[in-house]
Each structure stands twice: as C-alpha cells, then as structure tokens.
Amino acid sequence: MRPTYLIARRYAFSRQNRHRNTSIRIALGLAICLFSINLVLAFMQALQSNQFEDIRMYESFDIQIPLASNSLEQGEELAMKLGALDSVDAAFLFSDIPVLVASKNGKTIAGRLRALQSEGKFAKNIRVFRGTLFQSGMISSSYIHSADIGLGENVTVTLLKKGKQATVVPVQRDLTVGALFYTSLYEFDDSTFLTDLDTLYSLNSEASLFLGLYSDADLADVKKAIGEIDNTLEPITWKEANASLYGAMELEQSMMELLLFIMIVVIVLHIRNSSKRLLLAKQREIAMLRSMGFRLRQLQRIFILQAFYVAFVGLALGIFLSYLGVWIYPSVSVLLNSSLAQSLVLTIRPLRLCILVVTILSFSMLAAYFGTRRILKVDIMEMFIHEEVQ
C-alpha cells in the first residue's frame, strides 16, 4: 500500500514529476473557481441582508399594527402594554400621509410625511446632518434634497383631506424645515419627510394611526403574544408588508442557487478535461508500471489518489483565499463604499462550503476513476507506441 501512496504523491506535485505544472494549473483553477463562488455568494447574501435590515429598521419595522382609532391617548396606552412584553424591544406610534413638498426655488417633491415617536433602532440609527428632529410645527427633510430644501427654509406642503362637498380636497400649509437627516436606505430618504404626530394630525386629523414594533424574537411568537393581549389586533410582519419585494428577493436567491449550479458544472467540466489530459500524458508511465507488475486496481488507486491530492490542494487554497478575502474586505471597503453606497459584512456559510468541497472532491475522484478505467483497457504496447490512445 505504501508504494501506491508514494507514487500518487509523486504524480501530484513532486519536482521529479514532468507533469507537475499541469497538476498545479488544475489546483489553481479549482482554487480560483471556489474563491469566486464563495465571494459572489457572500456579496449577494450581504446585499440582501443589508436591504432587509434597512427595511426593518426604517420602512416597515419588524411588525406594524393598524389601529381602529386614531386617538393618540389610546394608542400610547396600547404601545405601553405591548412594549412591556419580553419579546418586544420597542413599541411606538406612527402615521403616514402622502404629500407634495414645494421649495422656494420651485422644486416639487412627491413623497410622504411620516410622523412617529422615534424609538428603538430607528432612533439609534437615523443620522442628523443639521438641526433637531421632530420639532413641533416643523418637518425634517432628507440630505438628498438639501440642494433644493435647506435648513430653516419655509416649504409649502400640499395634502389631500376629506371635503364636505367633494370626496377629497387639496390643502396647503407652509412649514419650516427644522432638520436635515440621512439613513442607509436611499429609497426612504428620497421619499420621506419626518415630523411629530401632533403636527401631522394638525394637518390631517383623519390620518390612520399605526403601531410599530421592533423585536429580535421569532415574529410568529410575537404575533401570538400580541393576540393574547388583544385578539382584535391584526399584526403585519415586515415580510408580509413587503411581500412583493420579499418575493423578488426569494427569486434572486433562487437565481443565485442556479448560478452556483452552473459554476459547479463549469468546475466539473474543468476537472474532467484536465484529468483526462493528465492521464493521457502519463499513459507511458502507466504502461511501464503495468510491465513492472502493478495490478490494475493498484494503478487505478494511484491515479484516484493523485486526483484527490491535486483537488485537495486546490480546494484548500480556495478556502484560504475565500476566508482571506472576507478578512481583508473591511480594510478595502472604504474604497468600495463610494460605489456601493453601503457597508457590507461578508460571511461564508460553512455548510454550503462543505457541500461544495465534498462535491468537487467526489467529481475529481470519479473523473480519475473512469479515465483510468478506459486507459487500462488498452494494450501495453499500444501505450508505448502511440502518443495518446483513443
């Protein structure tokens, strides 16, 4: 058995092996393929994770509950009850109304006016560029619009209210910009103006009132706990509130899986063709070993082990490069953030990595098995005479 392992190692990367460069190229090809797969998947997963986290933080929160009444007193009482739950980190009131905001220079921005009690993750992560958020009688604008809407400027807010003779009538009111803010969610900044609840209800006293919740617990359990307090409430999770976007992300995840499968197919073809060329290049050595008395099973074992050594070294290098890329990414992310406009935390899923490694090793050994099986059927003299047997 020992000569079998020694010969397999020699045929893999020994300096005495005249086909050593071919083995190195196969190993490098596997390393680059594995590195590419891991890095692409890590980036895609990080982008999705960031998008969902921002949506949960700024847009729809972890859970939102539409309230039957727009009474702030009743809403605050319910928020205190739900906020006392162990599974709830923060509970607060909020409301949205569609508005048109016109600046002095004639720029008109269509969006929404959101009023909320800034608590939990929202309060911790929203950034104020200038001014003070949620001042009574004022609105806050995104830094994105700072070229048209500056701090302290008066803007005209147009909204729709129920009328006596018409279903809805447009109403205008001049408000002062009390702060400029920014978040990591561009869509939120581009379409949202902030104010306090009293100011919003002074503009439209019939606006619907909602309760927002932050929770790191299982949202199904949180909904069950809410139902025990008041079974008339209808909690909506962030996935349900953003069903179309979540479905699109699920489709994107499926496409990622398809991309992974295609890349595996490319790797398998690379392994098959490279192994075939390597075996054909060694056919005279195979004939020599057969003439020296090596049995067919021993020869087959030698080349299967050789394929294992080459694939193992390539995959080990690929794993090293993958984790190295994830490790050094924070150091170069400052340069990339200017184009990505967000900070990503890259991770590699060990289970998926193990499946990839086992799959590639298995295909490498299978390619060697079937390749040697075909070559070993050829007569020894044919191996010596022909450059490549058919």
Side-chain angles (χ1 to χ4, degrees):
M1 183 66 72
R2 184 172 175 79
T4 302
Y5 289 108
L6 291 175
I7 294 173
R9 288 173 57 187
R10 177 187 178 278
Y11 279 173
F13 295 106
S14 173
R15 292 182 181 275
Q16 290 75 34
N17 177 19
R18 63 191 180 95
H19 301 295
R20 181 169 176 256
N21 289 337
T22 304
S23 298
I24 292 174
R25 285 195 295 271
I26 294 173
L28 286 177
L30 290 175
I32 293 172
C33 287
L34 187 63
F35 169 72
S36 301
I37 289 175
N38 285 326
L39 216 60
V40 167
L41 291 177
F43 267 105
M44 295 297 289
Q45 290 159 6
L47 286 168
Q48 280 193 2
S49 177
N50 270 25
Q51 182 77 2
F52 287 145
E53 185 62 30
D54 287 343
I55 288 172
R56 298 174 67 173
M57 190 182 304
Y58 303 114
E59 181 63 39
S60 59
F61 318 114
D62 290 330
I63 291 179
Q64 57 181 250
I65 306 172
L67 302 181
S69 169
N70 59 4
S71 169
L72 296 180
E73 293 77 12
Q74 294 178 12
E76 288 173 356
E77 183 180 348
L78 180 60
M80 290 181 63
K81 288 182 181 179
L82 298 184
L85 293 173
D86 293 335
S87 57
V88 175
D89 299 328
F92 50 91
L93 298 174
F94 75 96
S95 182
D96 293 332
I97 57 173
V99 293
L100 287 174
V101 178
S103 63
K104 284 184 177 180
N105 63 7
K107 176 74 173 182
T108 301
I109 301 169
R112 66 178 173 188
L113 183 62
R114 167 166 285 189
L116 76 161
Q117 300 165 337
S118 182
E119 295 183 21
K121 295 178 183 179
F122 189 95
K124 293 177 182 177
N125 289 278
I126 192 169
R127 298 291 179 259
V128 180
F129 180 67
R130 288 177 183 172
T132 304
L133 290 173
F134 305 112
Q135 298 184 68
S136 180
M138 296 185 178
I139 67 170
S140 301
S141 176
S142 167
Y143 178 74
I144 293 174
H145 305 303
S146 59
D148 302 302
I149 301 176
L151 182 68
E153 290 186 7
N154 288 328
V155 294
T156 301
V157 178
T158 304
L159 63 145
L160 296 176
K161 293 179 63 175
K162 288 184 178 180
K164 294 181 180 179
Q165 295 180 346
T167 305
V168 291
V169 293
V171 176
Q172 290 186 334
R173 180 171 169 181
D174 291 337
L175 294 175
T176 303
V177 178
L180 298 177
F181 69 90
Y182 63 94
T183 69
S184 56
L185 186 59
Y186 175 84
E187 294 81 2
F188 180 87
D189 291 0
D190 187 49
S191 63
T192 305
F193 297 88
L194 298 176
T195 188
D196 64 305
L197 285 165
D198 291 331
T199 301
L200 184 141
Y201 276 99
S202 70
L203 296 173
N204 186 354
S205 59
E206 297 177 346
S208 299
L209 188 62
F210 295 83
L211 192 62
L213 279 75
Y214 287 118
S215 175
D216 292 327
D218 183 84
L219 297 185
D221 295 336
V222 178
K223 290 177 69 173
K224 184 178 179 181
I226 294 171
E228 292 174 356
I229 292 177
D230 188 343
N231 58 12
T232 64
L233 299 176
E234 298 179 357
I236 303 171
T237 66
W238 66 273
K239 289 183 181 180
E240 295 167 343
N242 302 278
S244 58
L245 176 61
Y246 189 74
M249 290 293 187
E250 288 282 296
L251 177 61
E252 184 179 344
Q253 183 70 30
S254 299
M255 294 305 295
M256 285 169 55
E257 299 293 339
L258 178 61
L259 174 64
L260 174 62
F261 174 76
I262 292 173
M263 294 188 75
I264 290 176
V265 171
V266 172
I267 293 174
V268 169
L269 291 175
H270 165 73
I271 293 170
R272 179 183 176 278
N273 294 333
S274 300
S275 299
K276 180 180 177 181
R277 297 301 305 172
L278 191 59
L279 287 170
L280 290 174
K282 292 181 180 295
Q283 68 179 32
R284 291 185 177 178
E285 296 180 36
I286 294 173
M288 188 179 299
L289 291 173
R290 287 181 64 182
S291 64
M292 293 170 60
F294 276 80
R295 295 191 299 272
L296 297 182
R297 286 189 178 180
Q298 287 180 302
L299 290 172
Q300 202 164 46
R301 190 181 298 119
I302 287 172
F303 288 98
I304 290 174
L305 285 173
Q306 174 208 348
F308 174 82
Y309 289 146
V310 173
F312 180 82
V313 170
L315 293 174
L317 179 60
I319 293 171
F320 171 76
L321 290 175
S322 300
Y323 279 100
L324 179 65
V326 169
W327 180 67
I328 66 173
Y329 174 75
S331 303
V332 299
S333 61
V334 175
L335 301 175
L336 296 176
N337 282 348
S338 59
S339 58
L340 292 175
Q342 55 186 306
S343 177
L344 301 178
V345 179
L346 302 185
T347 57
I348 294 175
R349 295 183 180 179
L351 178 60
R352 179 176 284 168
L353 181 60
C354 288
I355 293 174
L356 275 172
V357 169
V358 171
T359 302
I360 293 171
L361 277 176
S362 300
F363 275 112
S364 297
M365 297 171 71
L366 281 173
Y369 172 77
F370 287 109
T372 52
R373 187 178 179 183
R374 184 178 64 84
I375 291 178
L376 292 176
K377 291 180 180 179
V378 180
D379 185 79
I380 296 177
M381 294 307 298
E382 277 193 55
M383 292 185 184
F384 281 119
I385 295 171
H386 299 289
E387 289 292 329
E388 292 186 2
V389 295
Q390 299 298 323

